[in-house]
Amino acid sequence: MGNELTEPRPDDQASTGGGGAVETDAQTAPKPTRQRTSKRRVYVGVGIGVAALALTLVTIVVLDQVTRVSVPAVEQQTVTDATTTLRDLGLEVEIRTDESFCEEDERGGKFCIVTSQTPSAEERVHADELVMLDVIPSEVSVPTLEGLTFADAVRAGADVAIDVRSIDITDSVVDGHEGWKVLEQSERGSVNAGSTVEVTLERPLADAPPVVGATLQGASDALTAAGFEVVIVKDPGAKHDPSWVVTATDPAIVDGKLPVASIVRLSWGVQLPNVVGMTDLAATSALTNAKVTATGSKSSSQLVAVQDPAAGTIVEPGSTVTITLEPPSTVYEVVSNGSRATITWVPPNSYNISQAGDAPLPWRMSWPTASGYRNFNAQSMDGTSITCNIYVNGQLLKTATSTGRYAVVSCG
């Protein structure tokens, strides 16, 4: 019995698949279930990660939007108002302008306006982002300044960011100019803030010495002593010649008065000296020193017979004066306290001896030359003193005197 074989049941075969396959099927049957579970876990983990990432991104976007601010419109606002509005939102502000008034003047905040902005209005930006503002000076109305004192005019201009200045820069150095009245103003209507308006002030009058006709140096000294500043038109820049006289003043001296501390411009001319009778060289030198030009000169020792214009005429500096010279001459002369003499002479440029016995005195003889004079002598016939002279072109070049009864004198 123990050796009987038991046939397997068909059901067993069917359930096991027969033979040795029973053990293999029994070992591997649970594996498909475990793999499916593992994959599901992976998919679930990935899904959770994606969802978390998406949530993070959404959170970042939401937070970014929450931390942004909308840029307000500030165009046409003053720089001060625009800057205050933007900085209250935590935004940084930078000004762009070509006008130094808007950039450097403390009044620019009130009197400069925004023309454009970057970023533009309603853009959303982070709270610390930079907003660029382009600005220009605003237009302001020029107040009426005429009739005001200079000090009041300056204050009226400052109220609207206008600089008021005197058109005459010397006004500012005169004590009390703040109280002078404004006579005229350079601008009216509207101008840009930061502009300058020039005004003409009414200076009070002060005593001024009459200087027309006075020497240039004397007039300059007198006006300076009276508190005026002197400017000489075409100043020669040298020691003033006495022949230079004042012909006009600017401003004109009216009734002995000029605006206080004025700049007085002196026009002048040359009052021609009298050069008739001077030698050519001396006359030319005198006219040159007087700042006029001499024509007709021969750079000689001849005497001037005529000058044109005449002496005393006032002409412009640099004018021309024509001189006419006497012809060249050499003169022999004898004078004495007696009435008659014997005279012997040799003419200029000659060796011929001539003599006049018992010649009446004074005696003169001339020749039309300025060179080659010779000697001559004379003897008194009835006097106690006798003199001989030689003149060349009117200049005494030789002289001699002898005394005594029948005295003899020689110029040779």
Side-chain angles (χ1 to χ4, degrees):
M1 290 183 52
N3 294 325
E4 293 181 354
L5 296 172
T6 304
E7 295 182 3
R9 291 179 297 178
D11 293 340
D12 294 335
Q13 292 179 3
S15 63
T16 62
V22 174
E23 292 183 4
T24 301
D25 291 341
Q27 293 172 356
T28 61
K31 288 183 178 179
T33 301
R34 287 197 299 272
Q35 289 177 355
R36 286 194 293 273
T37 301
S38 177
K39 289 180 179 179
R40 283 196 297 271
R41 289 175 179 170
V42 171
Y43 294 151
V44 169
V46 171
I48 292 171
V50 170
L53 179 59
L55 180 60
T56 300
L57 292 175
V58 169
T59 302
I60 291 173
V61 171
V62 171
L63 288 174
D64 181 68
Q65 291 300 315
V66 169
T67 57
R68 288 175 178 262
V69 295
S70 179
V71 179
V74 294
E75 294 180 4
Q76 300 308 308
Q77 293 185 15
T78 67
V79 172
T80 297
D81 291 344
T83 300
T84 300
T85 298
L86 294 170
R87 286 179 177 165
D88 285 346
L89 295 174
L91 297 171
E92 297 294 325
V93 178
E94 184 172 324
I95 303 299
R96 293 187 300 198
T97 183
D98 293 330
E99 301 289 341
S100 59
F101 172 76
C102 294
E103 186 174 20
E104 301 172 2
D105 198 297
E106 61 182 10
R107 300 169 297 178
K110 180 180 178 182
F111 289 96
C112 290
I113 58 173
V114 178
T115 57
S116 64
Q117 61 185 87
T118 305
S120 58
E122 299 185 2
E123 281 194 41
R124 294 188 64 81
V125 298
H126 291 108
D128 58 352
E129 191 154 335
L130 181 66
V131 179
M132 305 291 293
L133 301 180
D134 294 303
V135 303
I136 61 172
S138 61
E139 284 195 348
V140 296
S141 295
V142 180
T144 299
L145 305 175
E146 293 167 354
L148 300 179
T149 65
F150 180 61
D152 288 341
V154 169
R155 283 190 287 269
D159 290 341
V160 290
I162 292 174
D163 295 324
V164 176
R165 299 177 186 172
S166 172
I167 196 170
D168 187 342
I169 61 174
T170 64
D171 286 345
S172 61
V173 301
V174 182
D175 291 340
H177 71 279
E178 299 86 354
W180 297 352
K181 297 287 186 180
V182 175
L183 295 178
E184 297 178 2
Q185 61 190 85
S186 62
E187 302 291 341
R188 300 179 187 277
S190 297
V191 296
N192 288 338
S195 297
T196 297
V197 174
E198 293 184 325
V199 295
T200 301
L201 302 181
E202 181 182 22
R203 288 194 175 199
L205 298 177
D207 292 334
V211 295
V212 173
T215 65
L216 186 58
Q217 185 67 61
S220 179
D221 292 344
L223 288 170
T224 301
F228 301 99
E229 182 178 349
V230 175
V231 174
I232 298 173
V233 179
K234 298 180 182 179
D235 191 344
K239 184 179 179 180
H240 293 180
D241 191 277
S243 65
W244 302 344
V245 297
V246 175
T247 56
T249 66
D250 180 22
I253 299 174
V254 179
D255 297 329
K257 300 287 185 180
L258 278 175
V260 64
S262 293
I263 295 177
V264 184
R265 291 171 174 80
L266 299 181
S267 298
W268 59 284
V270 178
Q271 188 171 40
L272 294 178
N274 184 7
V275 296
V276 173
M278 290 185 179
T279 65
D280 180 7
L281 290 173
T284 301
S285 177
L287 293 172
T288 300
N289 290 338
K291 298 298 182 184
V292 293
T293 301
T295 62
S297 168
K298 296 181 181 179
S299 298
S300 67
S301 61
Q302 290 173 250
L303 301 182
V304 175
V306 179
Q307 71 178 81
D308 183 29
T313 305
I314 297 176
V315 299
E316 287 289 320
S319 296
T320 298
V321 178
T322 301
I323 59 175
T324 303
L325 303 178
E326 292 184 351
S329 66
T330 298
V331 175
Y332 293 174
E333 179 184 66
V334 177
V335 294
S336 172
N337 60 359
S339 61
R340 310 189 72 80
T342 300
I343 304 170
T344 305
W345 70 92
V346 177
N349 300 313
S350 172
Y351 294 97
N352 297 323
I353 300 175
S354 299
Q355 188 176 63
D358 200 26
L361 301 179
W363 175 91
R364 288 173 64 90
M365 186 167 287
S366 65
W367 295 266
T369 181
S371 63
Y373 68 85
R374 305 296 187 211
N375 61 335
F376 77 102
N377 55 70
Q379 181 178 16
S380 173
M381 303 297 293
D382 57 1
T384 58
S385 175
I386 191 168
T387 299
C388 63
N389 298 311
I390 298 178
Y391 296 91
V392 176
N393 291 334
Q395 300 297 302
L396 179 63
L397 296 187
K398 271 194 169 185
T399 184
T401 300
S402 183
T403 59
R405 187 176 178 83
Y406 304 112
V408 176
V409 66
S410 177
C411 281

